[in-house]
Amino acid sequence: MTIGFFRNLTKPKPTPVVEREYCVAGRTLPLKIVESARARRLTLRIDSGGQGLRITVPPGLRRGEVDRFLERHQDWLEQRLAKVPTRPQVRPGIRIPIRGVPHRIVHEPSKRGTVTISRDERGPLLVVHGDRVHLPRRIADFLKREAKKEIEKLVIKHTEALGKRAKAIRYKDTSSRWGSCTSEGNLSFSWRIMMAPQPIINYLVAHEVAHLKEMNHGPKFWKLCEKLCPDTDRCKDWLKRNGGALQAIVFE
């Protein structure tokens, strides 16, 4: 979610990039102010899951302009944050999706610390063994392993179709993006994508692999993305509508 406001270019005094907190809608959120030489206006973004705020500013911006910008858009922030999903804590009894299918978390402390997929008369289960205190971390580790297995196969599939090679594949827990591709050919993915349906996982990999050839989001890029993933438009829309809920789940 972003909004923009063109600044008064007559104020050239530089402002350093800072990180601070900002109180809005009853929350205290980390606020990151990033100076960019390419920015011609102030751009405000709410991180996925409502976990923080980010403002990109042009060079030479006074701090007072940032404060006034935030004040003017207080109502916008409150309205958007009210729509951000609550942040459920991973614990026994709740359901989290695995490849888009809700699985009820069951804790079985008597066995060694592993995670397995099962099912009972009520539906799919995610059975977590070992000490209760380690349950969230074990589920996160399980999703990372699933991401590695699934995504590496998809990277091979799409890079072969593209005629390009990825230099490296990394897995992270990012709050602002689902994936990235560097000019050196390094691909990064959020392991949380394993909670999305399989077509969405495929789209994300196709999207980042397409950047190996087109490092932009221009018409050529989207044409290439649709070639690799014909369902690009529907999958992109799904991730935009539902991604925040997946980012909001707390694995601590």
Side-chain angles (χ1 to χ4, degrees), residues 6-63:
F6 284 92
R7 75 180 184 96
N8 183 345
L9 297 178
T10 63
K11 297 180 179 180
K13 185 177 290 186
T15 298
V17 176
V18 297
E19 293 187 18
R20 56 189 175 97
E21 294 183 336
Y22 185 70
C23 296
V24 59
R27 312 183 192 191
T28 300
L29 299 175
L31 169 63
K32 188 172 186 179
I33 303 171
V34 181
E35 186 174 287
S36 171
R38 294 181 297 176
R40 298 185 61 192
R41 60 177 183 170
L42 289 84
T43 303
L44 172 61
R45 174 176 183 148
I46 301 174
D47 290 340
S48 297
Q51 300 178 53
L53 306 176
R54 178 188 177 98
I55 296 182
T56 302
V57 303
L61 192 78
R62 291 178 178 174
R63 174 167 176 167

Side-chain angles (χ1 to χ4, degrees), residues 48-234:
S48 297
Q51 300 178 53
L53 306 176
R54 178 188 177 98
I55 296 182
T56 302
V57 303
L61 192 78
R62 291 178 178 174
R63 174 167 176 167
E65 289 191 53
V66 174
D67 293 335
R68 289 190 289 273
F69 178 75
L70 286 167
E71 289 173 4
R72 285 194 297 273
H73 296 93
Q74 184 89 1
D75 290 343
W76 182 89
L77 280 170
E78 291 179 354
Q79 291 171 10
R80 295 306 185 277
L81 288 169
K83 297 177 181 179
V84 172
T86 56
R87 303 194 66 201
Q89 174 77 43
V90 169
R91 63 184 187 277
I94 75 163
R95 285 180 167 81
I96 65 167
I98 307 294
R99 293 181 174 85
V101 179
H103 286 63
R104 181 165 52 89
I105 298 174
V106 175
H107 180 220
E108 292 187 359
S110 59
K111 299 180 182 179
R112 294 186 62 185
T114 58
V115 179
T116 57
I117 297 290
S118 185
R119 128 176 329 266
D120 64 8
E121 66 279 1
R122 297 166 58 186
L125 305 175
L126 191 64
V127 183
V128 186
H129 307 293
D131 293 340
R132 168 66 178 83
V133 67
H134 301 307
L135 182 143
R137 177 180 58 79
R138 289 202 168 103
I139 294 177
D141 289 343
F142 170 81
L143 291 172
K144 293 173 190 176
R145 291 192 297 271
E146 292 296 299
K148 183 177 175 62
K149 290 190 294 184
E150 180 88 7
I151 289 175
E152 288 187 0
K153 290 187 295 185
L154 290 170
V155 168
I156 291 171
K157 171 187 172 182
H158 291 307
T159 52
E160 288 181 348
L162 191 65
K164 292 280 188 177
R165 295 188 63 182
K167 183 178 179 181
I169 307 173
R170 299 185 176 95
Y171 303 93
K172 302 179 180 180
D173 187 13
T174 53
S175 60
S176 60
R177 59 174 60 185
W178 286 100
S180 64
C181 173
T182 70
S183 57
E184 293 81 18
N186 296 317
L187 303 178
S188 295
F189 300 95
S190 170
W191 49 262
R192 289 174 180 260
I193 197 63
M194 293 313 298
M195 294 186 284
Q198 202 284 329
I200 312 304
I201 303 170
N202 178 61
Y203 157 71
L204 176 64
V205 177
H207 182 116
E208 299 308 333
V209 167
H211 279 311
L212 292 172
K213 190 169 184 179
E214 296 288 340
M215 288 294 293
N216 55 68
H217 286 103
K220 289 183 178 180
F221 166 80
W222 288 113
K223 184 176 180 180
L224 182 57
C225 196
E226 288 171 1
K227 182 178 179 181
L228 296 174
C229 175
D231 211 13
T232 283
D233 286 344
R234 186 184 68 84

